[in-house]
Amino acid sequence: MDISIRQATAEDLPEITSLFRNTITHINSKHYNEKQITVWASGADETDLWLERISEFYFIVAENETEIVGFAYLKKGYYLDGLFVHKDYQRQGVASSLLRTMESQVMVEEFPEIRSDVSKTALPFFENKYYDIIKKQKKSFKGLVFENYIVKKTL
């Protein structure tokens, strides 16, 4: 698949939040219960927060000719705070392209490593990309507890 990666803009907000909600609802439901999925996906409604991420963080989108098929963003220069791929474009290299771009950006910023909190669903992907698990954790979000993993990779 031929995708291009570019900086996200405020105009991308509807596609980004829709992709976020749909990916969680369709892909992460394998590892999280219905209540967790509903609460997590509701983060798509926080448009001010998304606009802040787009304007303040290193935030990129992957797109084919007609639509955004994935996005990722870095916080603090080295912390991968989000990486999501459209439910219809899983396992087609989109996440790998986004991750390579993020790792390159972290190196340009001269940080020695990249870190992230990753879901149970995403853990195998990160392990295949040579990320080490620092610890398994339980995070509270909107009154619910989510199990995920802190991972890192030395660059």
Side-chain angles (χ1 to χ4, degrees):
M1 179 176 53
D2 195 25
I3 61 163
S4 58
I5 293 181
R6 64 170 173 80
Q7 198 79 33
T9 66
E11 289 74 43
D12 298 324
L13 181 66
E15 269 189 281
I16 287 169
T17 54
S18 174
L19 188 153
F20 175 81
R21 184 187 316 278
N22 289 336
T23 301
I24 291 166
T25 304
H26 291 91
I27 304 301
N28 297 100
S29 57
K30 295 177 189 108
H31 296 100
Y32 296 91
N33 68 42
E34 194 176 327
K35 207 181 240 185
Q36 289 171 314
I37 293 298
T38 301
V39 165
W40 188 4
S42 75
D45 300 329
E46 297 171 11
T47 51
D48 288 347
L49 181 58
W50 285 102
L51 288 169
E52 184 180 316
R53 288 172 179 148
I54 291 167
S55 68
E56 313 228 342
F57 299 159
Y58 181 71
F59 198 126
I60 57 174
V61 296
E63 58 187 357
N64 62 16
E65 292 174 21
T66 58
E67 67 183 322
I68 292 174
V69 296
F71 68 84
Y73 55 97
L74 280 175
K75 191 163 84 172
K76 299 180 192 163
Y78 70 93
Y79 190 83
L80 181 64
D81 202 32
L83 190 157
F84 289 85
V85 174
H86 190 290
K87 66 180 178 60
D88 297 337
Y89 293 89
Q90 299 280 315
R91 303 193 180 284
Q92 295 182 39
V94 176
S96 295
S97 294
L98 287 165
L99 189 61
R100 268 194 310 276
T101 304
M102 287 297 173
E103 289 173 354
S104 296
Q105 179 66 20
V106 171
M107 287 189 275
V108 165
E109 298 285 335
E110 297 184 346
F111 288 98
E113 66 183 25
I114 184 169
R115 287 184 175 237
S116 189
D117 288 16
V118 302
S119 68
K120 290 189 262 186
T121 315
L123 185 61
F125 169 78
F126 282 92
E127 287 181 314
N128 286 337
K129 301 293 182 187
Y130 306 103
Y131 280 70
D132 297 316
I133 297 171
I134 297 173
K135 74 173 189 175
K136 185 176 180 178
Q137 67 179 354
K138 293 187 186 306
K139 275 183 94 170
S140 182
F141 178 69
K142 295 187 179 180
L144 292 179
V145 175
F146 291 79
E147 194 174 276
N148 70 8
Y149 301 84
I150 300 174
V151 297
K152 75 169 185 169
K153 179 179 180 179
T154 303
L155 299 172

